[in-house]
Structures are given as structure tokens and as C-alpha cells.
């Protein structure tokens, strides 16, 4: 089974702190994604990566950056956390093609910024 | 631009009954994939069912089936013989073959009532 893990299930940080959210997948997927999930807004794409050291902005990249130094790991960075970044963050991975295009999700990190 | 609309924020169904969740999408692409994902309370998002746009036959997975109307850009999910474990948030998602991005709806929260 594909496994996508995220470093923390719950995280509480203070305004202005630098925050790192880590995601690791074990299926050699080329593509990795970071979403934030908010009630009534669904999942919104922050960044995605289709290869090591490659990244593309999603719909809401402001206030975030990412790093992909190894194929299996994709990090989301909040350079200076703000209260409006309190949310659920979901990581996902997928193959870029083939018979199965679906994304596999991690368990999520619920981040609270106070 | 691709958009996915789920017009039913919340739904409920009696155990053992059938329920249909609605999803419409907008795209100018001809080839794409559609998905329904399930997110149980405090648990990981998992794929329920997928549909390839070039296939006329509606996909089925045990108690889950879809009604795919390509011309109407409609992709509804039918859950038969609803079970308590079906209680979850359900997301409709769309992916074009020209990119690796998914587009998600805002979700429908389904409660199965004993």
C-alpha cells in the first residue's frame, strides 16, 4: 500500500514563527502536492512538485514556500506564520501518468497559529 | 479554468437507504479523469471511485457508483445500502491529462443516521 506520512498531526505555533511541515511518501511518486483544507472552501492547492528540486505555484502560494531535495520528501515552509494560516494541511503524491492517476493523501497536519 | 461545484454542503441518509451526491464541473478539455474521495472524521482521505471521461460506462465499486453525464458535465455519486461507516466528507475532484493538478469541490458532509 502507498503510504504518505506527515511529520505532525497537530501543531501549535506563535505568530511570526517559521514553521516546517514535512511529508514523506514511500511509493517513488514523481508528483507531490501541498493543500490547505478549510471548511466551506474545500482543498486549495498551495504548491506542487513534479520532480526533485522542481516546484510550481498552486492557487494560494502567498506566505508559503516549499522544498524538495529528495524524491520522497516534500516540505512546506511558512516563513512567518500568521493567524490566517491556521488550517488543516494535506500532503498528497501521485504518479504523473499510467493507469492510476489518483492522488494518495497523508493524514493531515492541523496547524494552529496563535 | 477548471472548476468543480458541489452544491450540497450537508446531507443525511438513513442507514440502508440510498443517497446521491451531486457534482458538476467546468472544463474545455475533452480528456480528463473524475474522482470521488472520502474523508472520514479525523481520518485520512481515500479514493472511493474514479471515472475516465473517454469511457461511456459508469464506474462502480461495490456499493458506490457514479452517474457520469459528459455533455452536462455532471458526475454524481450514488451510495447504496448506506452504512454508518459511510459518514464522511466527500469531495469530487477533476484532473486533466495535460497537467498533474487536481481540482476539488468544496465537499459534501454526509451523515448516515442509524
Amino acid at each position: 500500500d502507498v503510504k504518505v506520512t506527515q511529520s505532525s498531526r497537530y501543531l501549535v505555533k506563535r505568530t511570526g514563527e517559521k514553521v516546517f511541515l514535512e511529508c514523506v511518501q514511500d511509493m517513488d511518486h514523481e508528483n507531490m502536492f501541498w493543500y490547505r483544507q478549510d471548511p466551506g472552501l474545500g482543498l486549495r492547492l498551495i504548491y506542487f512538485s513534479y520532480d526533485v528540486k522542481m516546484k510550481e505555484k498552486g492557487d494560494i502560494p502567498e506566505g508559503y514556500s516549499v522544498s524538495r531535495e529528495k524524491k520522497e520528501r516534500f516540505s512546506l515552509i511558512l516563513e512567518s506564520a500568521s493567524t490566517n494560516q491556521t488550517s488543516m494541511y494535506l500532503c498528497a503524491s501521485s504518479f504523473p501518468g499510467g493507469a492510476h492517476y489518483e492522488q494518495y493523501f497523508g493524514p493531515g497536519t492541523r496547524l494552529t497559529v496563535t | 479554468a477548471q472548476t468543480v461545484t458541489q452544491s450540497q454542503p450537508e446531507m443525511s441518509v438513513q442507514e440502508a437507504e440510498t443517497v446521491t451526491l451531486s457534482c458538476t464541473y467546468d472544463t474545455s478539455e475533452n480528456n480528463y479523469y473524475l474522482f470521488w474521495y472520502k474523508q472520514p472524521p479525523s481520518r485520512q482521505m481515500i479514493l472511493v471511485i474514479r471515472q475516465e471521461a473517454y469511457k461511456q460506462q459508469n464506474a462502480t465499486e461495490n456499493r458506490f457508483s457514479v452517474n457520469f453525464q459528459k455533455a452536462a458535465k455532471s458526475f454524481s455519486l450514488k451510495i447504496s445500502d448506506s452504512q454508518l461507516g459511510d459518514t464522511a466528507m466527500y469531495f469530487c475532484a477533476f484532473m486533466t491529462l495535460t497537467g498533474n493538478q487536481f481540482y476539488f469541490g468544496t465537499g459534501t458532509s454526509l451523515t448516515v443516521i442509524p
Side-chain angles (χ1 to χ4, degrees):
Chain A
D1 280 353
V2 175
K3 197 165 185 183
V4 181
T5 57
Q6 294 183 229
S7 49
S8 305
R9 289 300 301 270
Y10 300 94
L11 209 52
V12 179
K13 295 291 181 181
R14 293 189 181 274
T15 301
E17 277 193 84
K18 191 168 186 176
V19 182
F20 293 87
L21 303 182
E22 304 284 336
C23 175
V24 177
Q25 51 93 4
D26 66 357
M27 277 300 290
D28 205 34
H29 285 167
E30 280 82 358
N31 297 336
M32 296 188 75
F33 306 80
W34 275 107
Y35 296 92
R36 66 177 279 176
Q37 181 181 3
D38 300 288
L41 298 178
L43 277 70
R44 293 180 291 167
L45 182 65
I46 305 172
Y47 269 96
F48 68 99
S49 169
Y50 52 86
D51 202 351
V52 175
K53 297 193 185 293
M54 304 301 286
K55 61 184 179 184
E56 294 284 342
K57 291 181 180 179
D59 299 319
I60 52 165
E62 297 78 19
Y64 303 95
S65 61
V66 291
S67 172
R68 192 160 180 208
E69 296 297 319
K70 293 185 178 181
K71 191 174 185 180
E72 67 272 16
R73 188 180 297 270
F74 192 35
S75 302
L76 179 70
I77 303 154
L78 286 67
E79 294 290 341
S80 177
S82 63
T83 55
N84 62 14
Q85 292 178 311
T86 290
S87 185
M88 170 71 88
Y89 290 88
L90 297 177
C91 175
S93 70
S94 72
F95 284 116
H100 297 281
Y101 290 92
E102 68 262 30
Q103 294 191 354
Y104 295 85
F105 285 85
T109 295
R110 185 165 294 282
L111 173 67
T112 302
V113 182
T114 61
Chain B
Q2 337 286 348
T3 59
V4 179
T5 302
Q6 292 179 250
S7 58
Q8 305 151 316
E10 294 181 357
M11 294 188 73
S12 61
V13 62
Q14 291 289 139
E15 197 174 3
E17 302 271 301
T18 295
V19 64
T20 299
L21 281 58
S22 303
C23 175
T24 58
Y25 58 94
D26 189 24
T27 183
S28 56
E29 303 280 337
N30 191 48
N31 292 317
Y32 47 87
Y33 282 71
L34 293 159
F35 306 85
W36 279 99
Y37 279 87
K38 170 185 177 181
Q39 186 181 40
S42 302
R43 292 182 61 189
Q44 210 143 336
M45 183 108 70
I46 57 172
L47 179 69
V48 174
I49 199 165
R50 84 168 69 84
Q51 174 81 41
E52 293 89 344
Y54 62 85
K55 288 187 178 178
Q56 292 190 347
Q57 186 173 8
N58 289 325
T60 62
E61 286 286 343
N62 301 313
R63 297 182 295 108
F64 298 88
S65 61
V66 299
N67 183 5
F68 173 48
Q69 304 285 331
K70 190 172 183 180
K73 295 180 182 174
S74 170
F75 182 60
S76 60
L77 175 70
K78 185 171 85 170
I79 306 173
S80 304
D81 186 26
S82 297
Q83 300 175 0
L84 296 179
D86 295 333
T87 291
M89 183 72 81
Y90 288 82
F91 291 96
C92 178
F94 166 97
M95 190 194 87
T96 66
L97 297 188
T98 55
N100 291 302
Q101 270 188 268
F102 271 48
Y103 300 88
F104 286 87
T106 51
T108 295
S109 177
L110 176 68
T111 301
V112 179
I113 302 166

